[in-house]
């Protein structure tokens, strides 16, 4: 088991009450785990800002009937092949497709790939969800 440190925190009463309400909403059973997660969230956010290696998912919806659509999407993904670890394509209905691409690499390259896919004419919506490789996070 990892060594634990204990520390005291001074906090305004009202802020702590708001924190406790948030914890209950998020299903935390104690403040310690919630605080650890807040710290991890900030550390991971810092990794994103510094262009460190991250893992993430790019999800985008498009109408596959548009001219050159598939060609453009394929070409961009080949240009970033070193970032893409897995891809899933789902035919949503007669017109619409969704692709979910799992990525691993520098956050700045992942953002660049996501922005290029989003900017393709015919892509209706594109989201990037970034997480951590977990390596530097305890
Ligand atoms: Ni499809």
């Amino acid at each position: 088991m990892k060594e634990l440190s204990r520390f005291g925190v001074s906090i305004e009463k009202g802020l702590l009450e708001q924190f406790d309400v948030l914890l209950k909403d998020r299903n935390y059973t104690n403040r310690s785990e919630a605080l650890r997660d807040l710290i991890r969230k900030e550390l991971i956010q810092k990794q994103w800002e510094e262009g460190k290696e991250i893992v993430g998912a790019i999800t985008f919806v498009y109408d596959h009937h548009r001219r050159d659509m598939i060609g453009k999407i394929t070409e961009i993904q080949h240009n970033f092949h070193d970032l893409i670890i897995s891809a899933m394509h789902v035919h949503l209905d007669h017109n619409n497709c969704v692709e979910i691409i799992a990525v691993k690499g520098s956050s700045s390259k992942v953002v660049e790939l996501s922005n290029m896919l989003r900017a393709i004419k015919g892509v209706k919506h594109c989201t990037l969800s970034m997480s951590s490789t977990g390596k530097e996070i305890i």
Side-chain angles (χ1 to χ4, degrees):
M1 192 173 162
K2 291 186 180 82
E3 190 187 346
L4 294 177
S5 296
R6 290 179 172 273
F7 65 101
V9 178
S10 300
I11 187 170
E12 288 84 353
K13 195 168 176 281
L15 188 57
L16 185 59
E17 284 168 4
Q18 286 181 315
F19 188 54
D20 286 340
V21 170
L22 183 73
L23 303 194
K24 207 163 168 243
D25 289 348
R26 303 269 165 92
N27 280 325
Y28 284 104
T29 53
N30 65 72
R31 288 175 185 155
S32 291
E33 184 53 19
L35 193 57
R36 285 191 284 268
D37 274 354
L38 281 178
I39 292 168
R40 289 185 194 109
K41 186 179 166 190
E42 286 303 312
L43 291 172
I44 290 167
Q45 173 83 38
K46 189 167 177 281
Q47 290 182 338
W48 298 346
E49 290 163 4
E50 291 173 348
K52 294 254 178 84
E53 185 182 60
I54 60 101
V55 295
I58 301 170
T59 305
F60 58 103
V61 174
Y62 61 94
D63 183 340
H64 72 98
H65 288 123
R66 286 192 76 116
R67 207 161 59 86
D68 295 339
M69 189 82 215
I70 304 293
K72 279 179 198 160
I73 287 171
T74 305
E75 194 183 329
I76 290 170
Q77 290 190 49
H78 275 273
N79 289 342
F80 287 85
H81 66 88
D82 50 331
L83 283 187
I84 298 171
I85 50 180
S86 178
M88 181 167 74
H89 182 115
V90 178
H91 313 300
L92 293 170
D93 56 33
H94 185 69
N95 302 316
N96 295 294
C97 302
V98 61
E99 282 196 33
I100 303 165
I101 301 173
V103 289
K104 184 180 167 197
S106 89
S107 59
S108 49
K109 295 296 287 181
V110 167
V111 168
E112 189 186 342
L113 170 59
S114 175
N115 286 342
M116 287 185 82
L117 291 168
R118 184 178 297 113
I120 297 172
K121 221 173 185 178
V123 170
K124 296 179 177 181
H125 191 239
C126 177
T127 61
L128 167 60
S129 162
M130 288 204 289
S131 187
S132 164
T133 62
K135 278 182 207 161
E136 293 174 24
I137 304 296
I138 295 161

